[in-house]
Amino acid sequence: MNRNLFFIFLTFTPLSWAYLNLYLSLAEVQKLLGLEAELYYVRDGNINNYALNFVVPVPAKMNSLQFTWQSLADQPLVYSIDIDSSNSPTLLPPKLNITSTGSVPTHLQTFSVTLSCSGTAAGEVNVTITLNITISHTNVTTLTFRRKKICTKVEMHSNNHVFIDTLPTDSNSANIFYIAIASAVVLVVVLSTVVTMYYMKNKKTGGSTECNSGPTTTFLTAIPRDTVITSYGSFRRMPSYSLTTDERSKNLQKRISELTVQRCRICLSSVILEGTFARVYQGSYTNEEGIDEPVIIKTVTDHASQIQISLLLQEGMSMYSLNHKNILSVLRVSIEDHTAPFLLYPYHNYSNLKIFLQKCKLSAEGVSHTLTTQEVVDMALQVIQAMQYLHKKHLLHKDLAARNCVVDAKLKVQVADNALSRDLFPSDYHCLGDNENRPIKWLAIESLIQKTFSTSSDVWSFGVLLWELTTLAQQPYIEVDPFEMAAYLKDGYRLAQPINCPDELFAVMAYCWAMSAEERPTFTQLQICLQDFYTQLTRYV
């Protein structure tokens, strides 16, 4: 099979007759972008303005920036460097490991800029690094590097546990839980889109150019193992994926085609959840009317396997086209060659239910109020309504848990799919030697042993979810080894009644965990029972 290679042309501004190389090393780019490539700001005296104009975020765990440079001129290149950061208690004064003035070395040298957070406050600090290169008495070239340093607040509690606070909710990066390379990934997506368009253009295809705005530029120079080939494939090794041709996959492909949108209509703004290969972004999507809608985007990293990508699509589309106020279903899908698929969900300032509950437990200041029994029951009733609708559509959830629900500031709950949950919440899933990660401690006994699922097995999982609500997302059966769960349940053991949990509420959980599926209540019966209990609670308010 012939492979078409195409070259990447860089947009540069010449640095007069002086020659200079200034770039980010392979290791530095890997930390920021996750790519095996070097990022050139100046190459052989040519300035990459596109690279300089990009504001690179610096994750909280990265405390230093590394730049590599070398003078290629016949005479010394005098430099002066200055660092400016906004006056904020969040960041300590930046430090250089080189002098503020001097000459660019003629050999390769790496210098660093230390950006250390104070730990006393959380936020983002804009850092500007200005480098002046003197070419002659009348020619001084200024290079400006812009960084956005992310800092978290470190609080020491009386029990000596450290609690890492997230960014303030009123900032532009609200809801960033594990931000690392948010805007940098935006750049990666833009680069992949632009380069793909350039390739399509060179092949003179008749495809649509509606989203092709501006010239094709990139500033990533590949580092192949043997020879230098500036081809897209040499540094952008995205996994290839395809669905099998069985009937189930054909139906999935049909669903995806109905929701597919162009990648250029999607804008990523920040990472809100991240795992080993999974990433969840907050961003926006330009709809057919040209209006930007806030969305959540689920996707995977470059090193995700084909199986992981297929699972993302299959699980993400499991609740396709459902329309219920308490169900969060996929809104749009974006799939393009050589890039990871994007699954878009409507976003209305909600957060993951499990993380929300854990924050209630860890920091009462992190939420507007402490959850009451009445609110817990109301949230449970919302989940029940979602499950009733799901079962009415002849669909089973099979992974009902707090991690697969979202909640907003008004405690409106929506049940979501389980796409990426195995990677985002790895402690909730276990493999019992069958090469399959399953939510062992949320599964009904027949699902655990025989891998059979029904509406009754969803009821069992709802009982565990109700237990999560009352314990603020404690781990169920934390003292039980996953391999012992089947025997533990067979012997009649169940989760204990949580502290401050009313007897009426715990009785509902116990009914859900009946050994026989036929003996468990239906969601309609659960709704009647909990609605009656909710009415009793409101009488005392």
Side-chain angles (χ1 to χ4, degrees), residues 6 14 41 69 74 122 131-132 172 181 194 196 234 245 269 286 319 336 348 372-373 418 426 428 437:
F6 60 100
Y41 290 106
W69 63 357
D74 295 331
L131 177 63
N132 296 310
N172 292 332
I181 56 171
V194 169
T196 302
S234 63
T245 57
S269 61
T286 305
M319 294 162 63
E336 295 186 356
H348 302 291
T372 64
T373 301
N418 65 332
D428 291 357
N437 271 335

Side-chain angles (χ1 to χ4, degrees), residues 93-114:
K95 295 181 180 180
L96 275 165
N97 71 338
I98 59 173
T99 58
S100 58
T101 59
S103 298
V104 181
T106 56
H107 60 277
L108 280 178
Q109 181 192 64
T110 298
F111 68 90
S112 65
V113 179
T114 301

Side-chain angles (χ1 to χ4, degrees), residues 65-360:
L65 306 175
Q66 307 288 331
F67 295 87
T68 302
W69 63 357
Q70 181 183 14
S71 172
L72 306 177
D74 295 331
Q75 65 182 47
L77 294 179
V78 178
Y79 75 85
S80 66
I81 187 168
D82 180 65
I83 305 175
D84 179 61
S85 61
S86 53
N87 187 15
S88 171
T90 304
L91 185 69
L92 298 176
K95 295 181 180 180
L96 275 165
N97 71 338
I98 59 173
T99 58
S100 58
T101 59
S103 298
V104 181
T106 56
H107 60 277
L108 280 178
Q109 181 192 64
T110 298
F111 68 90
S112 65
V113 179
T114 301
L115 302 176
S116 299
C117 297
S118 64
T120 60
E124 296 179 348
V125 181
N126 293 318
V127 179
T128 302
I129 304 169
T130 304
L131 177 63
N132 296 310
I133 304 292
T134 301
I135 300 169
S136 66
H137 295 293
T138 59
N139 190 346
V140 178
T141 300
T142 300
L143 305 174
T144 304
F145 309 90
R146 296 175 178 86
R147 299 292 186 266
K148 181 174 289 186
K149 174 59 179 170
I150 311 299
C151 289
T152 55
K153 183 179 180 181
V154 180
E155 297 181 358
M156 298 300 299
H157 295 276
S158 57
N159 59 0
N160 293 326
H161 288 287
V162 178
F163 174 67
I164 307 297
D165 194 10
T166 57
L167 297 179
T169 56
D170 57 351
S171 69
N172 292 332
S173 299
N175 299 319
I176 300 180
F177 299 139
Y178 303 106
I179 184 164
I181 56 171
S183 299
V185 180
V186 177
L187 177 62
V188 175
V189 175
V190 171
L191 289 177
S192 62
T193 304
V194 169
V195 173
T196 302
M197 288 177 180
Y198 182 82
Y199 177 56
M200 297 296 289
K201 181 179 180 180
N202 278 3
K203 289 186 68 175
K204 298 182 179 180
T205 61
S208 171
T209 58
E210 176 185 351
C211 292
N212 192 356
S213 58
T216 306
T217 59
T218 182
F219 55 82
L220 288 177
T221 302
I223 304 296
R225 296 184 179 181
D226 299 321
T227 58
V228 178
I229 302 175
T230 53
S231 66
Y232 179 74
S234 63
F235 70 86
R236 189 63 179 167
R237 297 182 299 175
M238 295 298 296
S240 61
Y241 52 90
S242 60
L243 300 173
T244 55
T245 57
D246 58 21
E247 192 65 30
R248 179 180 177 183
S249 295
K250 288 181 180 179
N251 292 335
L252 179 59
Q253 289 178 352
K254 181 180 178 181
R255 292 179 177 183
I256 291 174
S257 65
E258 293 174 359
L259 298 179
T260 297
V261 296
Q262 292 168 306
R263 182 64 54 88
C264 57
R265 293 167 63 183
I266 303 168
C267 178
L268 306 177
S269 61
S270 59
V271 177
I272 59 174
L273 281 175
E274 185 172 16
T276 303
F277 64 85
R279 285 199 187 122
V280 181
Y281 294 90
Q282 182 180 335
S284 61
Y285 149 71
T286 305
N287 62 23
E288 289 73 12
E289 289 75 31
I291 301 174
D292 288 343
E293 298 181 23
V295 291
I296 290 294
I297 302 111
K298 289 185 178 182
T299 186
V300 292
T301 58
D302 295 6
H303 57 271
S305 67
Q306 181 172 344
I307 294 177
Q308 291 161 345
I309 294 175
S310 297
L311 279 176
L312 168 65
L313 294 173
Q314 292 169 10
E315 295 174 345
M317 299 298 294
S318 62
M319 294 162 63
Y320 160 81
S321 76
L322 297 182
N323 184 18
H324 190 275
K325 63 179 181 178
N326 297 116
I327 289 182
L328 181 68
S329 58
V330 64
L331 175 68
R332 288 288 185 267
V333 177
S334 177
I335 298 181
E336 295 186 356
D337 291 339
H338 304 291
T339 61
F342 282 5
L343 267 59
L344 279 62
Y345 300 80
Y347 175 64
H348 302 291
N349 294 318
Y350 52 67
S351 59
N352 182 274
L353 179 57
K354 178 163 185 164
I355 294 175
F356 170 81
L357 293 171
Q358 290 173 335
K359 291 188 69 174
C360 290

Side-chain angles (χ1 to χ4, degrees), residues 8 26 88 120-121 149 179 349 359 387 391-392 417 425:
I8 301 173
L26 175 63
S88 171
T120 60
K149 174 59 179 170
I179 184 164
N349 294 318
K359 291 188 69 174
M387 295 306 298
H391 289 172
K392 186 178 179 180
D417 56 59
F425 301 94

